[in-house]
Amino acid sequence: MTIRVLVADDHAAVRAGIVLILDGHGDIEVVGQAADGEQAVAMARELRPDVVLMDIRMPKLDGVSATRELSGVADVLILTTFDIDEYVFGALRAGAAGFLLKNTDADALVDAVRVVARGDGLISPAVTRRLISAFATAVPEREPYDLGNLTPRERQVLTCIGRGLSNAEISAELDMAEATTKTHVSRLLGKLGLRSRVQAAILARGLPPEA
C-alpha cells in the first residue's frame, strides 16, 4: 500500500528537499505541498493524505493549531528545527502522532513516515526523556470511571502502548490481528478523550500497576 504524504513547510527549499527524500521510495507518494498552516489544513481535508509532515513555525496558522484542526483527518508528524518544550508539548496535546527534528537523517525520516502511517507514534530521541518526565503532569487526570469504560482487552492494549509497543508487537503479544489492534487503539482513545497514542502512552505510564 502506498503511503500518501502532504508536506507543509513555509520554506520552498526545505519542502523540495523533503519531497526529494520521500519520492525516492516506492511505497511513499507526496500528494501535495503547503506553504502555510491554513493551506495545509485545506489541502489535507481535500486530499486526505495518510500522513502530514508539518512544520511548527508557519505563517497564517502555526503547525500546532493546524495539527489540532486535522484531528481525525490525517496523522500529523511534526518536523521542526525547534525542540522547545512549548512546541513539543503543544504539538502532542494537539494530537500529533510524532515529533522529529529537522536534523534527522533521511533514512530515519522515511522510517518515521512509515511508523506513523502504520498507526504507531514516534518521538525524537532528543526530546523523549524530558517529555516523559514533564509531559505526564500536563495530561488531564482521568477519573476511575473513564478507565472503567474500557473493556479488559482495551486495558491490555493500553498497558502495551504504555510500554512503547507498536501495533504489530501488541498484536503478537496479545495474539490478535493487527487490524483488531488498531480498532482497540482507536476505541480506547475515544473513550479516554485522547487525541493520539502518544498521549495514551504517557497516560498509561502514569497509572498505578494494578490499573
Side-chain angles (χ1 to χ4, degrees):
M1 182 184 72
T2 301
I3 302 169
R4 304 173 74 253
V5 179
L6 172 67
V7 178
D9 196 294
D10 60 328
H11 295 288
V14 174
R15 291 199 308 273
I18 294 172
V19 171
L20 184 63
I21 290 171
L22 298 181
D23 275 347
H25 299 268
D27 61 333
I28 299 176
E29 176 188 4
V30 177
V31 297
Q33 300 181 46
D36 60 65
E38 286 185 357
Q39 188 178 33
V41 172
M43 292 184 70
R45 287 173 174 166
E46 177 187 355
L47 300 173
R48 296 284 167 164
D50 301 302
V51 178
V52 177
L53 268 176
M54 184 83 73
D55 190 18
I56 287 284
R57 289 185 174 178
M58 291 190 293
K60 297 185 180 180
L61 191 68
D62 65 85
V64 172
S65 298
T67 297
R68 189 175 296 110
E69 292 199 24
L70 291 179
S71 178
V73 176
D75 287 322
V76 176
L77 173 58
I78 297 293
L79 184 64
T80 180
T81 306
F82 308 97
D83 67 344
I84 302 170
D85 286 353
E86 176 186 355
Y87 293 154
V88 179
F89 301 163
L92 297 180
R93 291 191 193 105
F99 191 101
L100 279 183
L101 299 179
K102 285 182 179 176
N103 60 6
T104 300
D105 64 46
D107 289 341
L109 174 59
V110 172
D111 286 343
V113 169
R114 290 170 175 154
V115 166
V116 170
R118 289 199 302 266
D120 293 324
L122 182 143
I123 303 295
S124 171
V127 300
T128 299
R129 178 166 294 183
R130 72 175 191 268
L131 172 67
I132 295 303
S133 63
F135 189 69
T137 60
V139 177
E141 292 185 4
R142 300 289 167 182
E143 298 295 330
Y145 176 78
D146 293 311
L147 291 174
N149 281 338
L150 301 183
T151 65
R153 182 60 99 185
E154 288 166 351
R155 292 283 289 272
Q156 290 178 317
V157 171
L158 178 61
T159 299
C160 290
I161 291 175
R163 289 165 50 200
L165 301 186
S166 67
N167 284 345
E169 291 168 335
I170 294 173
S171 300
E173 178 155 326
L174 300 183
D175 192 25
M176 60 186 180
E178 191 166 346
T180 303
T181 298
K182 290 181 179 179
T183 298
H184 285 310
V185 171
S186 178
R187 287 177 178 170
L188 72 86
L189 291 179
K191 289 180 179 180
L192 295 174
L194 301 175
R195 289 176 175 266
S196 73
R197 67 182 292 130
V198 176
Q199 291 182 351
I202 295 169
L203 176 64
R205 291 184 189 195
L207 295 176
E210 62 270 18

